[in-house]
Each structure stands twice: as structure tokens, then as C-alpha cells.
Amino acid sequence: MFTLSFSYFVLLIVSFFAAGVIDAVAGGGGLLTLPVFMLTGFPVHAIAGTNMASTVVGASVSVIKYAKNRKIYWQTALIAGAVSLIGSFFGSRLNILISEKYLQYIMIIILPIVALVIFFKKDLPCSNSVDTLSLSQKIIFSLLFGFVLGVYEGFYGAGAGTFMIFGFSLLNKLDLVTASGNSRVMALFSSIGTTITFALEGLVYWPVVLWVTTGYMLGSWIGTFIALTKGAKIIKPVFMVVLTLLFTRIIFQLFVTGI
């Protein structure tokens, strides 16, 4: 049976604390926790499920804090969240069945485009004009990117929260802080779906989940506080850093390590 040393447990808790902060602000905490799992020698087949299960409670903490500050637009958050739950089941099954390399090649093309749109779209951080959309537009946009990103969360996961914020901001026309709050609702739904799928396959290592959840919860609380107080001026820079790190990680995996 696989066991972790005390030092590795501490390392995982610290990494999940930092990931909680990052996820609550701009998404992308998995870019930190997934490599740490690999560093500890954690069973590869159990990394994705254990990582996702460890974020469920922390995502709930962020949702509660964003909701108390009225920074969640529930109409679109719940629609996107519900379909992301369904999508995460499909994505998790794909993760178990096929290689993630196919998605990584697609991401090499998509990521620079997303980064350029964010960089040049000056009104992205502060524009909140969701009410200019019709009800049908809100529903259609939320259904589309909610399902697609739910599949992505279950299949690959890295940077999913960042893309959720981007979807809510660009398509649902929410300011970045509210988009971040909505992304936490969506992440909660998709995390639950992904966790259930992997758990049914016996691919969640629960002793680790119980320990690192505490670190992620605290990080989520602090990260949400930072996002609410600093607003778009902190979210957008972190947003760009996460996209850059994700792109670098994919290139490294595909062309350097061959993993």
C-alpha cells in the first residue's frame, strides 16, 4: 500500500494552501498541486481524483464568501454549474480511458489566443453588462461553455478555473470579480462530479484528501478575501500568469519529458 512521509504530507498541505489562494483569485491552482503530487511519488492513476476531491470543501468556502459579498450572478452560475457537473462525468471517463496528449495539442493553439484576447480587451476587468443579454443568450452561453469546461475539468483540469472566469467574463459579460465568484460555483459542481467518478473507480486516496483539504480551505478563504478587496487589478495579472504557466507546462510535457 502506498504511504507518504510526514515531510511529503506537509509539502502537499502547503501546496494546497497556495493553490486555494490562486484558485479563489483567478483559477489554476492545479498547476501547483499536480506537479507536487508527482514529486512525492504519488500513484499516477490516483493523482487526478485525489487532487479534485481535495478541492470540494475549499470551493464551498469560496462560494459562501463570494455569495455573502453578493459577487455571484446566480442565474448564470447555477446553469453553467449544473451542466459542468454532467460534463465532468464525461471528462473523467475520458481521462480514465484515453491519453491527455490529444487535448494538449489543441491547448497549444488555444492558449495564446486566449491570452491575447485578455491582454488587448481592456474592458474585461471592469465591464459588467450581463443585463444587456437576453435570457436566452444567458442560458445558451452558460450551457455551452459550462458543459465544455466541465468536460475539460474532468479530463485534464489544469487551469480550468481560469477558463471558467474567462467564459463568464467574455460571454456572460460579468466583471472579473463576479466572474471569479461564478467560477467557484461552477468549480464546486464539476469537482463533485469528477470526484464521484474517480471515487467509484477507487482512484481517490482519502487519507491524503482529509489532510490537504484543511490547507486548501484556508487558502480559498484568503484568496477570496484578496479577490474581493483588490478586485480586477489583482485578478487580471494572476490570470495572465496562470495562462503562461499552463502553456509552459504543456510544452514541457509534450516536447521535453514526453509524459
Side-chain angles (χ1 to χ4, degrees):
M1 183 178 178
F2 175 75
T3 57
L4 280 174
S5 66
F6 176 75
S7 60
Y8 278 152
F9 260 116
V10 173
L11 178 61
L12 279 170
I13 293 171
V14 172
S15 68
F16 267 90
F17 167 77
V21 176
I22 295 169
D23 273 342
V25 174
L31 294 172
L32 175 61
T33 58
L34 294 176
V36 172
F37 267 121
M38 297 180 70
L39 177 66
T40 64
F42 204 84
V44 176
H45 63 279
I47 289 177
T50 305
N51 181 74
M52 196 57 63
S54 303
T55 67
V56 173
V57 178
S60 302
V61 170
S62 282
V63 168
I64 293 171
K65 194 163 181 62
Y66 273 111
K68 284 184 177 180
N69 285 270
R70 298 185 178 183
K71 287 298 182 179
I72 295 176
Y73 191 81
W74 289 105
Q75 190 178 63
T76 56
L78 291 177
I79 294 172
V83 293
S84 74
L85 175 65
I86 299 171
S88 67
F89 284 114
F90 287 100
S92 300
R93 294 305 305 172
L94 287 174
N95 177 281
I96 295 170
L97 295 173
I98 67 175
S99 171
E100 65 187 27
K101 284 189 176 181
Y102 299 107
L103 178 63
Q104 289 177 324
Y105 284 117
I106 297 173
M107 295 298 290
I108 289 176
I109 300 173
I110 294 177
L111 283 172
I113 296 175
V114 173
L116 287 173
V117 171
I118 296 171
F119 182 78
F120 288 108
K121 192 171 178 59
K122 301 302 182 182
D123 61 338
L124 189 61
C126 57
S127 176
N128 189 356
S129 52
V130 63
D131 291 329
T132 63
L133 299 175
S134 66
L135 178 60
S136 60
Q137 286 177 315
K138 295 176 189 176
I139 293 175
I140 292 172
F141 290 151
S142 298
L143 288 173
L144 287 175
F145 79 79
F147 180 76
V148 170
L149 291 179
V151 173
Y152 176 81
E153 176 83 286
F155 181 65
Y156 190 62
T162 306
F163 291 121
M164 291 174 186
I165 296 173
F166 183 70
F168 280 117
S169 185
L170 185 66
L171 298 179
N172 279 170
K173 299 185 180 299
L174 295 172
D175 65 272
L176 280 183
V177 178
T178 306
S180 186
N182 273 32
S183 78
R184 293 295 85 204
V185 175
M186 189 172 163
L188 177 59
F189 276 90
S190 58
S191 296
I192 291 173
T194 303
T195 298
I196 291 173
T197 305
F198 280 104
L200 291 174
E201 297 289 332
L203 299 178
V204 175
Y205 195 73
W206 292 108
V208 171
V209 173
L210 294 175
W211 281 97
V212 302
T213 290
T214 304
Y216 191 81
M217 283 176 57
L218 181 58
S220 295
W221 188 88
I222 294 174
T224 304
F225 175 78
I226 292 172
L228 290 170
T229 55
K230 300 297 183 179
K233 63 183 180 181
I234 186 67
I235 294 177
K236 187 173 181 179
V238 176
F239 208 67
M240 295 297 293
V241 170
V242 169
L243 289 177
T244 301
L245 291 176
L246 179 55
F247 184 77
T248 303
R249 179 193 173 193
I250 292 174
I251 294 294
F252 186 79
Q253 283 182 314
L254 285 175
F255 303 111
V256 180
T257 65
I259 296 176

